[in-house]
Amino acid sequence: MRVLGIETSCDETGVAVYDGSRGRLLAHALHSQVALHADYGGVVPELASRDHVRKTLPLVERVLDDAGLVAGDVDGVAYTAGPGLVGALLVGAVVARGLAWGWGVPALAVHHMEGHLLAPLMEPDPPAFPFVALLVSGGHTQLIEVAELGRYRLLGDTRDDAVGEAFDKTAKLLGLGYPGGPALARLAEKGAPDRFTFPRPMTDRPGLDFSFSGLKTHALTTLRGIDAGDEAARAAVAKAFEHAVVETLAIKCRRALVETGLRTLVVAGGVGANRALRARLEALATELGGTVRFPRLEFCTDNGAMIAFAGALRLAGGDAPTAELAVRPRWPIDELTPPAAA
Amino acid sequence: MKERRVDLADEAATRALGAALAATLEDGGVVLLHGDLGAGKTTLARGFLRGLGYTGAVRSPTYTLLEPYTVAVGTVYHLDLYRLADPEELDYLGLRDLDEPGAIFLVEWPERGRGALPPADLEAHLEHAGDGRRARLEALGPRGEAWLERLEALRPDDRMISNRHQ
């Protein structure tokens, strides 16, 4: 079964084809605003409109070409139906459902975060259910117990800022532009580890929720006492901030693994590309006698492959085609059910 | 136009100002929140929502651009337009469908949505002042002026605006 996946929940337009029978990603393509922004060192208004309308169909054509397929070879179309921006979601939904209708194949609504947490399963030697998933991105910071496909329990969530947002905003305070999370991580590599100490929010009490907005304020206060030209001090602030974030995430991941009795941790989302976090969670997994798995770097951020993959798993599992054109800007992940159980 | 200045010694004071605005809200309102990163815009919005009885998490809307909250008096739309590149992108939020009578809007980084937002009643300018913050509230029309008058008429105990640390 070959499934076309379309992702338009936010800034990126992602399209891919996944072959469920052969367990292989055939092609994928992404149009991202982020690269455009990075070239100009910040948000450039004229370049940044969320123009999924113009991008989606050309990407579909390109992906089918790359996969060596024609329209009749596609057995289903999966699209992100939420959570996300309502107008952006609708573009993907309308294109996907139009294509599916025209081709006479099922269209399936997919949950964006389910796509993220299943993404590491596309890699060779995939982890088996059950596992704990840590979803860390610009918009999300969640710990989820994954019992099986479609059975998810939210263990912890952020109370204020998402972790990627805390990275981006602290980067902005450091004068690194916006979004500047990866730039902050590069600066942190040069920073002295012991010059500043940042708090580890919400680790001194039980529970798996997160709070990251205080770290931004702490960075602001610390930076006030530093000369703007003092590169070593700025690097040390970046280091202390990143270390506090990584330790906080590691403490909560350890708790989640211990509380659920599970041994496998799966990390997804853009912050999953952070090297310090990867190294720390590898060490945690080793210490606990378990494993930690990450998707390849390009599938940490939003992409069409994860939607094609989740759609292929669900259609193969017996999910009925989605009957209505409806998107859900807010869609709690624990409302999902396993395929065929709905 | 009418204006009011408030010193905010700490985060609790910023939340209390939000709660005081909520306590004096009448039949909807649009508040624009100006200020640098970390100036307390989301904290003020959190205090406002708490003041209207919302007890759940008030997350930053920087990524989602829009977070709606259902409270007893209606729906509060908390917007953060920082990532907005063009006011036209507000169409992606379905904003035009939300602008009904009685709706409540709290808008961070409103200058990025200029021309595409509902008319504002109040502007709150937040800035750093020593270890604390300072707020300047400015009425943008008769509805905003009446709102500021109600705010000033709050008894000091109700007002909960913390000047006591000074």
Side-chain angles (χ1 to χ4, degrees):
Chain A
M1 172 172 288
R2 286 179 286 247
V3 176
L4 180 76
I6 296 180
E7 153 69 33
T8 61
S9 67
C10 192
D11 299 328
E12 338 275 351
T13 317
V15 178
V17 192
Y18 188 84
D19 186 336
S21 322
R22 288 195 289 161
R24 205 155 75 84
L25 184 67
L26 300 181
H28 66 99
L30 184 77
H31 177 85
S32 170
Q33 302 291 346
V34 177
L36 282 177
H37 295 170
D39 288 346
Y40 289 84
V43 175
V44 179
E46 290 73 19
L47 296 178
S49 101
R50 290 179 173 78
D51 203 354
H52 299 296
V53 176
R54 280 194 305 182
K55 304 299 176 337
T56 308
L57 272 177
L59 283 181
V60 169
E61 286 171 11
R62 194 168 114 201
V63 158
L64 290 179
D65 263 4
D66 288 353
L69 300 178
V70 294
D73 298 332
V74 173
D75 303 303
V77 184
Y79 60 95
T80 306
L85 307 177
V86 63
L89 291 167
L90 276 168
V91 173
V94 166
V95 171
R97 297 185 64 84
L99 289 171
W101 186 79
W103 294 340
V105 299
L108 189 72
V110 169
H111 191 289
H112 178 76
M113 303 311 288
E114 179 175 60
H116 270 303
L117 69 83
L118 296 176
L121 275 59
M122 270 188 285
E123 303 303 330
D125 185 25
F129 297 116
F131 54 77
V132 170
L134 173 69
L135 296 177
V136 276
S137 68
H140 303 277
T141 309
Q142 296 184 329
L143 275 163
I144 296 168
E145 182 181 0
V146 180
E148 59 174 324
L149 175 65
R151 209 142 64 83
Y152 310 121
R153 186 163 70 96
L154 186 63
L155 302 171
D157 204 339
T158 184
R159 301 254 180 107
D160 40 53
D161 292 4
V163 61
E165 179 183 350
F167 262 96
D168 285 337
K169 289 187 169 173
T170 303
K172 174 80 180 166
L173 295 174
L174 282 161
L176 297 172
Y178 185 94
L184 186 153
R186 283 194 295 277
L187 183 62
E189 284 177 18
K190 294 182 275 180
D194 301 323
R195 183 155 167 194
F196 303 105
T197 306
F198 276 46
R200 277 98 171 107
M202 298 187 66
T203 53
D204 58 349
R205 65 192 96 165
L208 293 166
D209 280 346
F210 303 93
S211 164
F212 289 108
S213 80
L215 285 180
K216 172 186 72 191
T217 310
H218 194 88
L220 192 68
T221 313
T222 310
L223 284 167
R224 271 216 211 114
I226 288 170
D227 192 35
D230 188 344
E231 191 66 14
R234 288 172 65 251
V237 169
K239 181 79 173 181
F241 167 83
E242 183 184 61
H243 189 59
V245 168
V246 166
E247 285 304 311
T248 301
L249 291 173
I251 290 166
K252 301 284 173 152
C253 285
R254 166 198 283 278
R255 267 186 213 169
L257 290 167
V258 170
E259 283 180 21
T260 57
L262 297 174
R263 308 287 284 269
T264 306
L265 177 67
V266 159
V267 183
V271 182
N274 180 278
R275 277 201 220 162
L277 179 65
R278 285 187 170 229
R280 182 66 185 87
L281 294 180
E282 295 275 8
L284 175 70
T286 307
E287 178 202 327
L288 295 178
T291 54
V292 60
R293 307 297 285 271
F294 305 89
R296 73 188 83 164
L297 290 180
E298 62 188 324
F299 295 158
C300 280
T301 44
D302 291 353
N303 64 85
M306 66 184 195
I307 302 305
F309 178 66
L313 290 185
R314 283 193 162 275
L315 286 170
D319 250 4
T322 306
E324 286 184 340
L325 170 61
V327 295
R328 293 192 59 182
R330 261 140 270 280
W331 188 1
I333 195 168
D334 43 16
E335 285 182 13
L336 294 181
T337 52
Chain B
M1 276 292 164
K2 202 173 179 59
E3 206 180 270
R4 182 191 162 104
R5 284 162 198 274
V6 190
D7 287 322
L8 305 165
D10 51 23
E11 198 180 316
T14 305
R15 279 201 304 271
L17 175 60
L21 283 169
T24 49
L25 174 78
E26 268 181 18
D27 191 28
V30 178
V31 182
L32 308 183
L33 299 167
H34 295 277
D36 290 337
L37 275 185
K41 300 181 294 299
T42 299
T43 301
L44 190 140
R46 190 171 287 125
F48 187 90
L49 282 157
R50 293 277 180 267
L52 293 177
Y54 185 80
T55 54
V58 177
R59 300 201 176 94
S60 161
T62 301
Y63 180 82
T64 54
L65 305 182
L66 168 76
E67 291 286 341
Y69 298 91
T70 305
V71 294
V73 297
T75 306
V76 180
Y77 299 101
H78 182 197
L79 283 83
D80 180 340
L81 307 184
Y82 189 78
R83 295 179 343 105
L84 204 69
D86 188 301
E88 269 183 38
E89 290 187 342
L90 282 173
D91 285 350
Y92 278 112
L93 301 178
L95 198 65
R96 279 182 295 195
D97 301 335
L98 309 178
D99 188 16
E100 67 236 12
I104 303 155
F105 288 89
L106 304 175
V107 189
E108 303 186 29
W109 301 97
E111 57 275 17
R112 307 207 177 195
R114 191 169 285 135
L117 290 168
D121 302 311
L122 286 180
E123 262 185 318
H125 299 267
L126 291 159
E127 59 182 26
H128 296 275
D131 290 336
R133 309 283 188 271
R134 191 180 300 124
R136 182 166 59 83
L137 300 173
E138 196 182 333
L140 295 177
R143 278 169 53 92
E145 295 207 352
W147 196 347
L148 280 192
E149 275 163 24
R150 292 193 298 275
L151 192 72
E152 277 169 22
L154 275 185
R155 293 195 319 265
D157 289 351
D158 298 337
R159 203 181 291 155
M160 294 185 298
I161 293 170
S162 166
N163 291 316
R164 60 184 179 275
H165 299 291
Q166 295 176 347

